Amino acid sequence: MSQALVRIAAGWLLGLMLAIAGAVVAINVVNNTVASPQQPVREYLDALKSGDGGRALGILRAAVPPSNAAMLDGPGLQTSASRVTNVDIGDPEERPGNQVMVPMEYTIDGSRLHTEFLLQKTGTEWLFFNTWAFVPSRLPTVDITVVNGNEAVLNGVPVNMPNGRNSFAVFYPGEYEASLNGQYFSAPATRATVTAKDAPVAPLNLLTQATDKLKNDVAAKIREFLDGCAAQAVKEQKLQPDCPFYYASNNRVQDGTIKWTVTEYPGVSVEPFDGRWVVSPLDGKAKVEALQQNSFTGAWYPLDAEVDFSFTTRLDVAGDTVKVTPQLSF
């Protein structure tokens, strides 16, 4: 063989070896990037951030437990995923059964947290490129209770709370914040962080309280009732009207001189009790003025007395309507 042919053959051999080496490098690069076990994790996180719950559920291959699905799509899911920052997906670690564990570290509310994803090799594509998928699992849930309420807000989404409680299926990792900000009832926000499919999650308990608006509206209705009652007592010229207040006297009172005024209106406190909202007993003061005659001397002199009174009410709140019904006993 001539030297020229030898050089040509050597060149072809070198080129072939370089091509094979390049192909091997390319295969390894692909298997360590887009065909790596980390890739399904990246795709899953992207689906969470975009609020695409259907895609995320398909990638995770997770079953949905019997629960409310409000957090499995849209704004509620996006809000949860947005709180996951500084994400670092680690190298896969081999596990038995042709499986790998992909670790991930991230930050939620300033805390550095850790989640492990279990994946399995499902085959190859184009003879060389590995394919991976999550090992099938079941989504975790977050339980919420609310005192004397049938609604709440979870990650900014209004949700129903039948009988004051509900259970919500959620993706992980993520953070879920429950609160109540109604015009008449509210509860401070409380949060739960979910890091894994089987991580224990403490229930979110909303401690509902009456708002100042409810107390003010109730106080206004009570004031209206008492003022109306006093006006009616004056109209009917009664010392013992059908009101929470009255005055007992054995003296004769000149008709047309009786005047009632409320001098101290009750303070209002609205509290939960036995599954409903109640107004605490109401205490106030009223003043009666009149001209009375002494039964023994016959002399006329002014009546000017302040009396204490107390009564209870029934409170009914439906939507934007507040009804206060005084409960009087005679």
Side-chain angles (χ1 to χ4, degrees):
M1 182 180 294
S2 66
Q3 291 184 353
L5 292 175
V6 171
R7 286 196 296 272
I8 292 173
W12 276 103
L13 181 59
L14 178 60
L16 179 60
M17 293 175 64
L18 290 174
I20 293 173
V24 171
V25 170
I27 291 171
N28 287 334
V29 169
V30 172
N31 278 329
N32 288 325
T33 54
V34 294
S36 70
Q38 293 101 321
Q39 186 59 23
V41 176
R42 298 187 190 98
E43 294 174 357
Y44 169 67
L45 296 177
D46 288 341
L48 297 185
K49 290 180 179 179
S50 63
D52 190 345
R55 179 166 169 257
L57 195 64
I59 295 172
L60 191 61
R61 302 171 72 194
V64 179
S67 55
N68 188 295
M71 292 296 102
L72 296 185
D73 199 57
L77 174 57
Q78 282 183 299
T79 299
S80 170
S82 69
R83 294 170 177 158
V84 180
T85 60
N86 302 319
V87 175
D88 182 17
I89 301 175
D91 294 329
E93 301 175 11
E94 292 188 5
R95 293 290 186 267
N98 209 24
Q99 297 180 347
V100 297
M101 185 277 291
V102 176
M104 186 178 84
E105 291 190 352
Y106 51 93
T107 301
I108 294 180
D109 283 344
S111 297
R112 197 65 178 164
L113 303 172
H114 180 85
T115 292
E116 297 182 350
F117 297 104
L118 194 62
L119 294 96
Q120 59 189 11
K121 186 176 179 181
T122 57
T124 58
E125 291 182 349
W126 303 100
L127 300 179
F128 304 108
F129 305 129
N130 297 328
T131 57
W132 298 88
F134 284 91
V135 173
S137 61
R138 178 184 173 98
L139 290 180
T141 58
V142 172
D143 295 331
I144 302 177
T145 64
V146 57
V147 174
N148 283 7
N150 56 13
E151 61 183 4
V153 174
L154 184 57
N155 276 9
V157 178
V159 293
N160 292 324
M161 300 291 293
N163 299 317
R165 59 183 64 246
N166 212 335
S167 181
F168 298 86
V170 297
F171 286 105
Y172 62 93
E175 185 178 63
Y176 299 87
E177 179 182 276
S179 62
L180 180 61
N181 298 300
Q183 66 168 336
Y184 288 138
F185 302 105
S186 65
T190 180
R191 293 183 175 185
T193 299
V194 184
T195 59
K197 64 180 185 297
D198 52 0
V201 182
L204 297 179
N205 301 315
L206 293 177
L207 303 179
T208 316
Q209 297 177 336
T211 63
D212 288 341
K213 177 171 176 53
L214 177 60
K215 296 174 185 177
N216 291 337
D217 285 0
V218 170
K221 290 184 178 296
I222 291 172
R223 185 184 185 108
E224 180 183 3
F225 161 70
L226 291 173
D227 287 343
C229 207
Q232 187 65 23
V234 172
K235 181 179 179 180
E236 296 177 353
Q237 287 294 287
K238 288 184 176 181
L239 289 181
Q240 299 182 4
D242 297 333
C243 295
F245 42 82
Y246 67 92
Y247 181 80
S249 174
N250 293 321
N251 293 329
R252 177 188 174 192
V253 176
Q254 183 174 325
D255 193 33
T257 65
I258 297 175
K259 179 182 178 182
W260 280 100
T261 54
V262 180
T263 56
E264 183 178 316
Y265 293 93
V268 172
S269 176
V270 180
E271 304 292 340
F273 176 76
D274 197 25
R276 61 191 310 269
W277 293 94
V278 298
V279 179
S280 299
L282 300 163
D283 301 317
K285 296 180 184 294
K287 181 180 180 180
V288 61
E289 298 173 88
L291 187 62
Q292 62 181 345
Q293 186 180 39
N294 188 290
S295 57
F296 296 104
T297 66
W300 291 90
Y301 64 99
L303 168 63
D304 188 344
E306 189 172 57
V307 296
D308 296 325
F309 65 85
S310 180
F311 68 108
T312 61
T313 62
R314 176 183 173 85
L315 174 63
D316 295 288
V317 181
D320 296 334
T321 303
V322 176
K323 182 180 180 181
V324 177
T325 306
Q327 307 290 300
L328 304 179
S329 58
F330 302 103

